[in-house]
Amino acid sequence: GLKPKLGRWPLFVVVLRTIVKEAIMVLLPFEDLIEAAKKGEWELIDQSLEHSHLTPERIRWAIEKGIVDPNPDVRDLAATVLQDSDPKRAFTDEELKILLKRMAKDDNDFVCYRIAMALYKRGDHGPAVVEMMAEAALNRYIHKEVRKCLDEF
């Protein structure tokens, strides 16, 4: 009847565990992503950061708090939010000043690269942004994201 054939049951369990794990990750509140960043849990962040997290409030958090956080991984999360957010949401002049300053001085290269992509997507193709994009294009961990950004914008 309903007994699974030997050998198929473990595969079913693995698939079910994967589905449950992915469902849990998708539902993570943004505050949990901040905590994951503090712990350097980038696999969890990469699997869980969704478009629904990219709200105007989160963009404000990223600019006002996230990119100035003492933790480099929290700054990276903030820069990722800015990079992935809707490019139609323009930055104000004050936000641009903050972002350009952070891009020029952050000691976490990924923060600089992601801010550059966020600015580039919004039409800032000035020398500082283009130079940072060129540097990012040489980074083996982020070069595919840079190429995608250049191709799309």
Side-chain angles (χ1 to χ4, degrees):
L2 296 176
K3 277 185 157 178
K5 292 181 181 176
L6 194 59
R8 287 189 167 175
W9 187 252
L11 178 60
F12 170 76
V13 172
V14 168
V15 170
L16 184 59
R17 283 184 183 161
T18 302
I19 291 169
V20 169
K21 182 179 174 186
E22 288 177 3
I24 290 169
M25 288 182 181
V26 168
L27 300 174
L28 279 181
F30 190 75
E31 291 71 22
D32 289 354
L33 295 180
I34 295 171
E35 290 305 311
K38 289 177 182 176
K39 298 174 188 172
E41 296 175 343
W42 278 98
E43 184 177 333
L44 177 64
I45 293 167
D46 290 341
Q47 292 175 349
S48 303
L49 186 63
E50 295 289 328
H51 183 73
S52 61
H53 289 121
L54 306 176
T55 65
E57 294 78 24
R58 300 296 177 233
I59 295 169
R60 219 173 7 266
W61 166 85
I63 295 168
E64 294 173 4
K65 296 180 182 176
I67 62 165
V68 295
D69 194 277
N71 184 310
D73 286 319
V74 173
R75 293 195 310 275
D76 193 356
L77 173 62
T80 301
V81 167
L82 298 173
Q83 173 192 336
D84 292 350
S85 65
D86 186 352
K88 292 177 188 145
R89 194 287 194 180
F91 297 130
T92 67
D93 289 343
E94 185 62 31
E95 290 170 338
L96 285 172
K97 286 179 194 173
I98 292 168
L99 294 173
L100 287 168
K101 183 178 177 183
R102 179 53 58 178
M103 183 184 74
K105 76 169 196 165
D106 202 284
D107 59 0
N108 182 334
D109 290 342
F110 292 102
V111 172
C112 302
Y113 300 158
R114 293 183 192 290
I115 290 173
M117 284 188 274
L119 294 169
Y120 191 88
K121 286 179 173 184
R122 287 162 173 85
D124 184 340
H125 300 171
V129 171
V130 171
E131 185 177 316
M132 191 60 67
M133 292 284 286
E135 184 180 323
L138 299 175
N139 183 289
R140 66 183 175 147
Y141 298 110
I142 202 166
H143 69 92
K144 289 179 183 173
E145 291 175 59
V146 175
R147 175 58 44 207
K148 183 178 177 199
C149 180
L150 291 170
D151 289 347
E152 289 180 13
F153 301 93

